[in-house]
Amino acid sequence: MRNADVPADMRLKIAVQKSGRLTDSSLDLLSRCGLKYSRGKDQLMCYGENMPLDVLFVRDDDIPDLVQEDVCDLGLVGLNVIEEKRLAFQAREVGPLFDTVQLLDFGRCRLCIAVPEGFHYEDAQSLQGKRIATTYPHILSRFLKQNGISAEVVVLSGSVEIAPRLGRADLICDLVSTGSTLAANHLRNVHTVLESQAALIRTPMPIPAQKQEWTRRLLMRIDGVEQVKGSKYIMLHAPRSALAAIAKLLPGSEAPTVIPLEGLGDRVAVHAVCPENVFWETLEDLKDAGATSVLVLPVEKMLA
Ligand code: PRP
Ligand code: ZN
């Protein structure tokens, strides 16, 4: 069946943040998975041209709900939002819950306790009896409970950072990535409550049979893209006697491929995929161990 013939309700739907820190990286991930798309006039949806897959652009806070309610099959969203929604759904005894399939290598940020100038913070006990503004009431309440703190959680839907200045709260619990929002509002990060990064989530409902094959392929491609991020392909020549020393130096690689070199007697070519970056120091160590003609190449795709 050609892509254009797939009925709309049989197309996979993936929710992506409309505009924010995850948007570009999310679209980049889908492009690396081979998706070619055109963005509609309303900018709220992308139509996958070469896969039966559509991208819906929504507020990141809405992504877990859309996936939970099976409106979207998949979503790309931060752990901060995932964890807050998971606790909220649990509190309402909603189940079964959406599933976190895999962590993704982008969108890193932290959910932090931040205090205004002049606030004396020593440890969590300094929060006793205070008013804390946040858009993450469930994660904050759990943190307070774990530390035996009794404090008032002031739930806001945005612009948390101005709450202390307006007298609505004594301090805040908010997301920090570059830290510029805190600095601009004369706030200081004193404690990290949650480390966050992007993740892939999927509906708790069974995926209809007609969508299963593309779901499987997309998940495998996403996994492949994540695996090769930072991976390098190393090629070098070395005397056979140096192989053990060289294998030890190749960062994280499994058994390298060893190929005899025609007419060069004892010398062999070594090829290996290293699942992490290869630094100049490693190349220098390889050279000291007897390697020559060392080449390092980026890996574009990998299918395990
Ligand atoms: C967060 C947070 C701050 C900003 C911090 O908002 O509420 O406003 O990011 O980033 P910085 O440390 O780089 O200055 P978010 O992007 O989650 O927006 P949203 O609440 O509208 O989703
Ligand atoms: Zn948000």
Side-chain angles (χ1 to χ4, degrees), residues 119-136:
F119 187 107
H120 183 71
Y121 182 92
E122 245 168 53
D123 54 27
Q125 290 306 318
S126 311
L127 305 178
Q128 205 69 256
K130 302 293 183 198
R131 294 168 305 153
I132 312 174
T134 191
T135 54
Y136 297 87

Side-chain angles (χ1 to χ4, degrees), residues 78-84 87 109-113 136 139 142-143 173-176 191-197:
L79 280 180
N80 51 315
V81 175
I82 291 175
E83 195 55 10
E84 179 63 24
L87 295 172
C109 55
R110 292 167 294 157
L111 184 65
C112 296
I113 303 282
Y136 297 87
I139 299 178
R142 181 179 60 181
F143 167 78
C173 173
D174 198 14
L175 219 54
V176 180
H191 186 83
T192 298
V193 175
L194 182 95
E195 299 271 358
S196 182
Q197 69 192 82

Side-chain angles (χ1 to χ4, degrees), residues 28-48:
D28 181 55
L29 172 65
L30 294 174
S31 297
R32 283 163 179 256
C33 290
L35 179 71
K36 293 197 167 40
Y37 55 83
S38 50
R39 201 157 177 175
K41 274 205 199 79
D42 55 7
Q43 305 280 299
L44 295 177
M45 197 170 142
C46 273
Y47 180 84

Side-chain angles (χ1 to χ4, degrees), residues 170-243:
D170 302 303
L171 65 143
I172 69 168
C173 173
D174 198 14
L175 219 54
V176 180
S177 73
T178 61
S180 59
T181 304
L182 287 191
N185 289 281
H186 307 285
L187 294 162
R188 178 168 57 94
N189 170 13
V190 291
H191 186 83
T192 298
V193 175
L194 182 95
E195 299 271 358
S196 182
Q197 69 192 82
L200 172 71
I201 59 172
R202 59 160 282 165
T203 168
M205 307 310 268
I207 304 259
Q210 299 90 324
K211 294 188 185 183
Q212 268 174 23
E213 174 57 13
W214 268 105
T215 307
R216 189 189 66 76
R217 286 169 78 169
L218 183 67
L219 296 190
M220 206 166 65
R221 289 182 187 188
I222 289 177
D223 192 45
V225 170
E226 287 299 306
Q227 277 192 44
V228 300
K229 272 194 186 165
S231 291
K232 299 288 178 219
Y233 192 79
I234 298 193
M235 303 195 286
L236 57 86
H237 290 179
R240 201 174 269 280
S241 56
L243 275 180

Side-chain angles (χ1 to χ4, degrees), residues 17 59-61 80-81 136:
Q17 187 181 29
R59 285 193 53 211
D60 64 342
D61 313 62
N80 51 315
V81 175
Y136 297 87

